[in-house]
Amino acid sequence: MSGSKGHSGLVQDIRSKNAGPFWITIDVFCTDNAAFALLCEALSSQAVADALCTPADRLQRFDIAGLSVIKFSAPREVVQGARADRDMHGASYGVLIKELIDAL
Amino acid sequence: MIKVLIPSGALGISVDPDALERGLQMQPDIIAIDGGSTDSGPHYLGTGTCKYSRASVKREWRLLMQARARLGVPLLIGTAGTCGTDSMVQWLLDITREIAAEEGQSLRVATLECSQSPARVAQAFDAGTITPLAGAMPVNREDITGCSNIVALAGAEQINAALQTGAEIIIAGRSTDTAVIAALPLARGCHPGGAWHGAKIGECGALATNNPATGAILIEFDTEGFTVHPTGEGVRATPLTVSAHMLYENADPFILHEPGGHLDVTAATYTAVEDDSSVRVTGSVWHPSERYTVKLEGARLAGYQTISLVLVRDRRYVEAIDQWISQLREAFVQREGSNIAGDYGLEFRLIGSNATLGALETRRQEAHEIGVLVVITAADQQAANDIAKLLNPYLLHYALTPNEPMPTFAFPFSPPEMDRGGLHEFVLNHVMTLERPMDAFALNVVEVGT
């Protein structure tokens, strides 16, 4: 996923994946350190929690300057493979965050 | 110094013979590979089966057995057969016997069994030695005894016990992805933080490089840290590709919990090596824990499913798809409810609308067609199939309004009902405290081949 305008231009790639069956983790790779600094400021944890429909106090955030990565982790609201699960590997949650960044 | 060759991210997904050969020329001390994880969902643990085909596993295992014979070093696999149950350890042992006979090899094989009796785990639960991890859902005794399979994840201690048997091949059941790589370096006195960190970097093969598809990677461990060497032609590891791999499938990018302690890479430094394709890492720290715990994974049967797929291409119906589904469901429940015995689940997932994200979906972009995936869950397969058959006429002909010609919608398959079999779900996200690391594991050594 690559962006080309506005805040989406700050992002090189976004990936989401299970961290075991009970957690989801989303890595936002910024294009460089300056983009990382801008996005850290613009992207609130509350907005990410809202997009994932998870309580903000369950969302963990890591701003990793050395990698220009913002990482979010949260317990899955639906456990991997449970009857209501639609995304076995958690691959699509990152799309929500990309669209959130696009709209900033 | 210990060199561990990891031929690919998992046995069964393909081994690049050229990358393997270059790795062998680097004279590794052991060949270690992962055989699975929970990544593909609860079905495999629930049923005690392998995700990959027996044929592809056998083909790749033969390559590795040939490589082992050539170098005379141990060949080690963890989490055999995707889920690492005892049944999958035996499955891979059978494959090993076949190959040994076909290749004329005579071998000592150690098997490490990790399956746990649900009754025994329930006793441990009663005794208070089962502890929930962050994000765990509440469980009770019945949740545990209802599991079809429970495994404990072996760490470096159990893997080392298997290595110490002197076996040429070690087939381990469920193990942490890292333990199969870290075990030998730890046993030979390499830096503990470096051993676990290097194992994490190598656990998915070449995923920590600029060309993950090449599969193989070699990690060189020593008393201060480790060095990452990709073995694929022209493949490079960089400080960025290596350090970024700590993010992968890891909720915390700096901390990794393992049996017996945790790894902290906060202070790790990553340096490109002169050849420009390798990376040197130091500064990782291993913190031993006071209690020795192993993680448990359990899965249980949660019903049986039948699915149907109908395609809606009529513009009027596509535009009113939510209304159509709502009315169809209501009519079905009203008219057919008395014909269905027992509880059941009826779910409509709208492909082209919100099938991926469900309630999280924020976009309502106009589509020109919608695939309606109907998921029926019931107590047994026959019941789920019967409900799908009852529903079929509604999916085929249900009209949006009472006074319009009967519509017909597109079914891509005959029969339209597809039985999915059992639905399994994960139950445990807990650790179990052990007095001694081998308390929950069984180690056996057998002779195979000619």
Side-chain angles (χ1 to χ4, degrees):
Chain A
M1 286 176 286
S2 297
S4 59
K5 60 174 184 174
H7 285 87
S8 63
L10 303 176
V11 174
Q12 180 181 356
D13 188 28
I14 299 180
R15 73 179 176 198
S16 62
K17 193 80 164 55
N18 295 333
F22 300 90
W23 283 74
I24 190 80
T25 192
I26 302 168
D27 301 330
V28 181
F29 292 85
C30 299
T31 51
D32 54 30
N33 291 344
F36 169 75
L38 283 170
L39 198 58
C40 281
E41 191 79 16
L43 184 61
S44 77
S45 298
Q46 184 65 56
V48 172
D50 290 346
L52 299 175
C53 288
T54 198
D57 61 0
R58 284 161 63 91
L59 184 74
Q60 296 180 0
R61 173 175 179 151
F62 304 90
D63 293 348
I64 310 167
L67 295 174
S68 297
V69 168
I70 307 173
K71 182 180 183 72
F72 299 96
S73 298
R76 266 174 160 265
E77 293 299 316
V78 177
V79 174
Q80 180 198 15
R83 194 169 105 183
D85 186 27
R86 293 163 176 246
D87 186 351
M88 194 62 60
H89 302 271
S92 300
Y93 293 87
V95 174
L96 283 171
I97 306 308
K98 180 185 184 302
E99 291 177 354
L100 177 66
I101 292 170
D102 288 349
L104 286 174
Chain B
M1 183 182 295
I2 293 295
K3 290 185 277 190
V4 181
L5 175 63
I6 302 110
S8 83
L11 185 71
I13 61 172
S14 84
V15 171
D16 179 336
D18 295 334
L20 174 63
E21 178 57 35
R22 273 188 289 274
L24 296 175
Q25 287 173 11
M26 296 166 82
Q27 296 295 312
D29 298 287
I30 188 170
I31 303 169
I33 191 166
D34 186 23
S37 73
T38 57
D39 196 38
S40 297
H43 170 82
Y44 305 99
L45 179 59
T47 55
T49 54
C50 182
K51 177 182 181 182
Y52 305 112
S53 79
R54 192 180 195 279
S56 62
V57 167
K58 184 175 178 180
R59 184 168 57 248
E60 293 173 21
W61 194 234
R62 182 191 301 278
L63 275 178
L64 301 187
M65 285 178 63
Q66 290 170 339
R68 185 219 62 78
R70 195 173 115 199
L71 264 60
V73 298
L75 169 62
L76 164 61
I77 183 168
T79 313
T82 302
C83 60
T85 55
D86 292 354
S87 59
M88 284 294 92
V89 170
Q90 290 304 312
W91 178 78
L92 191 56
L93 178 60
D94 288 344
I95 291 173
T96 306
R97 282 196 172 98
E98 288 176 16
I99 297 171
E102 290 161 7
E103 296 286 323
Q105 294 185 9
S106 181
L107 300 161
R108 276 164 59 84
V109 180
T111 59
L112 179 67
E113 296 181 334
C114 305
S115 285
Q116 308 297 309
S117 146
R120 182 182 180 278
V121 175
Q123 284 176 356
F125 181 77
D126 293 341
T129 58
I130 307 278
T131 311
L133 294 170
M137 56 188 182
V139 297
N140 57 35
R141 200 173 204 285
E142 289 67 39
D143 293 326
I144 295 169
T145 56
C147 286
S148 50
N149 280 305
I150 299 176
V151 288
L153 276 70
E157 293 78 9
Q158 297 84 4
I159 299 293
N160 264 326
L163 283 167
Q164 284 169 13
T165 65
E168 283 115 340
I169 293 179
I170 296 101
I171 301 173
R174 186 63 172 121
S175 316
T176 71
D177 295 350
T178 41
V180 292
I181 301 169
L184 186 62
L186 287 168
R188 299 281 178 86
C190 294
H191 187 273
W196 285 110
H197 191 183
K200 169 61 185 171
I201 298 306
E203 50 128 6
C204 290
L207 199 56
T209 72
N210 69 339
N211 189 352
T214 49
I217 199 165
L218 185 136
I219 312 282
E220 200 171 356
F221 298 89
D222 54 50
T223 55
E224 294 179 358
F226 66 96
T227 306
V228 180
H229 300 286
T231 68
E233 177 73 43
V235 180
R236 294 176 62 228
T238 69
L240 185 65
T241 64
V242 172
S243 57
H245 191 66
M246 270 303 289
L247 306 175
Y248 189 68
E249 295 180 336
N250 217 16
D252 188 316
F254 302 111
I255 304 294
L256 189 67
H257 291 276
E258 294 284 340
H262 72 270
L263 169 71
D264 185 346
V265 305
T266 309
T269 58
Y270 305 82
T271 310
V273 176
E274 282 180 8
D275 67 3
D276 208 29
S277 68
S278 302
V279 173
R280 173 77 181 152
V281 184
T282 56
S284 332
V285 181
W286 172 253
H287 297 279
S289 57
E290 290 182 8
R291 287 185 307 147
Y292 188 85
T293 60
V294 289
K295 190 177 177 187
L296 297 174
E297 292 171 352
R300 68 179 170 198
L301 186 65
Y304 289 80
Q305 293 189 318
T306 297
I307 59 173
S308 288
L309 178 64
V310 61
L311 307 175
V312 178
R313 181 64 176 80
D314 183 301
R315 182 175 175 179
R316 182 165 153 261
Y317 278 79
V318 169
E319 289 176 349
I321 193 71
D322 290 333
Q323 180 190 346
W324 183 67
I325 292 294
S326 175
Q327 291 177 194
L328 185 155
R329 176 199 285 271
E330 189 177 343
F332 174 74
V333 171
Q334 271 186 0
R335 294 176 203 170
E336 308 295 345
S338 61
N339 296 323
I340 301 170
D343 294 334
Y344 68 98
L346 177 58
E347 188 184 4
F348 297 85
R349 299 184 184 181
L350 305 183
I351 299 169
S353 174
N354 65 355
T356 309
L357 291 166
L360 297 181
E361 183 57 71
T362 56
R363 299 181 67 172
R364 298 299 288 181
Q365 196 166 315
E366 189 177 324
H368 70 276
E369 73 172 0
I370 298 283
V372 180
L373 178 65
V374 186
V375 183
I376 295 149
T377 309
D380 59 64
Q381 190 67 73
Q382 188 62 55
N385 189 278
D386 286 349
I387 295 166
K389 283 183 161 66
L390 278 174
L391 181 67
N392 179 262
Y394 294 81
L395 297 175
L396 183 60
H397 289 311
Y398 187 79
L400 196 54
T401 59
N403 302 312
E404 65 177 275
M406 184 179 74
T408 301
F409 301 98
F411 281 85
F413 308 114
S414 172
E417 304 85 22
M418 292 165 272
D419 290 343
R420 275 210 347 99
L423 168 72
H424 290 85
E425 60 186 14
F426 286 118
V427 176
L428 292 166
N429 186 22
H430 294 67
V431 293
M432 180 166 65
T433 302
L434 301 179
E435 286 186 26
R436 294 169 296 275
M438 287 305 292
D439 280 355
F441 301 87
L443 184 58
N444 296 292
V445 178
V446 296
E447 305 282 341
V448 306
T450 53

